[in-house]
Amino acid sequence: MLKSQARSTRRHWETLTDDQLLETELMTDDPESLPNLVYELPAGDEEPYVEYKYDLRKSEREMFSCVHGHHQHLAGFVMRKGASRFLVGWMCAKSIYGEDFEKYTADFDAAVSRQDALRRVLEIKAAINPFVEYLNAISNSDVFKHFNRVRGQLETQMPWVFDVLPAAASIDRHIIGASLPKRLCAPGLDVRQEYTRLMADFAATQIMLAGEPEKAAKLIGLIRTRMEGLAKRMEGILDTIREVETFFQPAVLAAICKLANEHDNPKRRKYEAGLLSITCKRDRDKTVITMPKGFELPSPRPLEAFRSALAGVNV
């Protein structure tokens, strides 16, 4: 019978780094193929430890022989002692090793638990990291500058359009002639500020993944729920930015000009739709607002990929 020794150093599974543990296989479906497998209990004073676990009771393969009495079994443990490995069936593990074996398996089970936590944390990080790059790229782009330019020009140069557009957007498209932008001229809108808050909330949720993997893994469900909420907010921001493109669509410009010519002061102002432009004529003066050069809507594909990755995260 193996005798337990006083614990003076860390046990095997505690000596591995997280990276080493991630690369380590803890289960085996072919224990007899492992190198340095012996069929007699190895001599020496080294303390053995559980290196692998196996359970092939649902398979049709031949049974293994336990090192203790060569009892036949299909579920048990690969024990490691020095360079030697030996098989111990689950019944002998319990009856022969007793409490000592509970100590060995407790270390092994802790390694399994930590490895699972590490993999789950890495899994959600793999979903998050590309999306963070996407968010940073949008933040560093000119898309908000272009959006605010169009919004600011409408507010200062065509105030009637700016003031009426949000209410007109609520009218049925069949009546008005097109689906009009709902938020482009919304009072008090600051889409850049919305985006800044989104990134701050995203970073705060990421922090939940820091620290011990076991603690972070317990929060995976909550993290995923929050990330899904942030993805929905991001979709809303993209829809708002897209309204720059919507505004300059021919049917939309035509509907806006028709509405303005009918309800603004037609004796003082005349509105005309052009190619990616809207013109307001006042006596001999005229104002032209055009689609910003270089405006490019962020691709929605990284957002779609992020959502798909979150859906596949194991909680």
Side-chain angles (χ1 to χ4, degrees):
M1 182 183 299
L2 294 174
K3 297 180 181 180
S4 63
Q5 298 176 342
R7 183 175 180 178
S8 57
T9 59
R10 289 191 300 163
R11 294 185 184 129
H12 171 72
W13 295 115
E14 295 176 338
T15 66
L16 299 188
T17 66
D18 286 345
D19 288 342
Q20 289 173 325
L21 183 58
L22 278 169
E23 295 175 357
T24 301
E25 292 294 333
L26 299 176
M27 301 291 291
T28 179
D29 57 4
D30 191 7
E32 287 187 320
S33 69
L34 296 171
N36 301 323
L37 187 68
V38 299
Y39 298 93
E40 300 294 337
L41 193 64
D45 295 330
E46 296 109 319
E47 184 176 2
Y49 60 88
V50 176
E51 187 178 22
Y52 296 96
K53 192 174 185 178
Y54 55 91
D55 188 348
L56 301 170
R57 283 175 288 192
K58 295 182 180 180
S59 72
E60 296 180 356
R61 64 154 297 141
E62 294 182 4
M63 291 189 174
F64 306 112
S65 294
C66 175
V67 74
H68 297 284
H70 302 289
H71 304 297
Q72 301 297 293
H73 66 277
L74 282 174
F77 305 88
V78 178
M79 300 288 290
R80 182 77 176 261
K81 184 175 182 181
S84 299
R85 294 182 171 94
F86 55 96
L87 305 184
V88 176
W90 67 273
M91 288 183 291
C92 288
K94 183 176 182 180
S95 62
I96 296 177
Y97 286 79
E99 292 183 1
D100 285 347
F101 195 76
E102 293 299 321
K103 176 186 67 177
Y104 305 141
T105 53
D107 285 349
F108 176 79
D109 290 343
V112 171
S113 176
R114 186 170 182 83
Q115 185 187 71
D116 177 67
L118 287 167
R119 287 176 174 170
R120 291 172 64 202
V121 170
L122 280 180
E123 182 183 27
I124 195 166
K125 283 183 177 180
I128 290 172
N129 292 342
F131 193 65
V132 171
E133 295 179 8
Y134 172 66
L135 293 177
N136 289 334
I138 293 175
S139 182
N140 294 327
S141 73
D142 291 330
V143 69
F144 296 110
K145 180 183 74 175
H146 291 316
F147 181 91
N148 289 330
R149 174 194 159 197
V150 172
R151 177 178 164 85
Q153 287 176 326
L154 287 169
E155 185 174 16
T156 58
Q157 299 174 30
M158 299 184 189
W160 188 91
V161 173
F162 184 87
D163 292 339
V164 170
L165 188 58
S170 65
I171 301 174
D172 188 284
R173 63 180 300 272
H174 296 97
I175 297 174
I176 206 75
S179 294
L180 305 184
K182 293 180 173 60
R183 299 196 73 208
L184 178 61
C185 297
L189 175 68
D190 189 337
V191 70
R192 165 58 102 169
Q193 189 178 69
E194 288 184 10
Y195 192 76
T196 299
R197 285 198 297 266
L198 171 74
M199 292 191 70
D201 291 344
F202 197 94
T205 304
Q206 275 187 283
I207 292 175
M208 297 171 68
L209 290 170
E212 282 298 306
E214 288 91 343
K215 292 182 180 179
K218 292 178 181 178
L219 299 173
I220 294 294
L222 175 61
I223 292 170
R224 189 176 78 171
T225 298
R226 289 190 179 181
M227 288 293 179
E228 288 170 342
L230 292 169
K232 187 173 182 179
R233 283 168 59 187
M234 182 62 193
E235 182 181 32
I237 290 173
L238 288 181
D239 287 343
T240 299
I241 296 171
R242 187 180 291 109
E243 290 193 355
V244 171
E245 286 187 348
T246 303
F247 182 84
F248 288 101
Q249 293 300 308
V252 173
L253 289 174
I256 291 172
C257 288
K258 181 177 182 295
L259 192 67
N261 287 328
E262 290 176 354
H263 298 282
D264 194 6
N265 191 332
K267 294 181 180 180
R268 297 187 59 187
R269 286 177 288 275
K270 175 71 174 177
Y271 296 84
E272 293 180 357
L275 181 61
L276 300 179
S277 68
I278 181 171
T279 301
C280 179
K281 295 180 179 180
R282 303 175 182 85
D283 298 325
R284 295 181 181 180
D285 296 328
K286 70 176 182 179
T287 298
V288 181
I289 299 176
T290 62
M291 176 84 161
K293 292 182 179 179
F295 177 82
E296 185 177 351
L297 184 69
S299 171
R301 290 181 181 176
L303 175 58
E304 294 166 0
F306 179 55
R307 281 178 155 164
S308 295
L310 286 179
V313 167
N314 178 24
V315 297

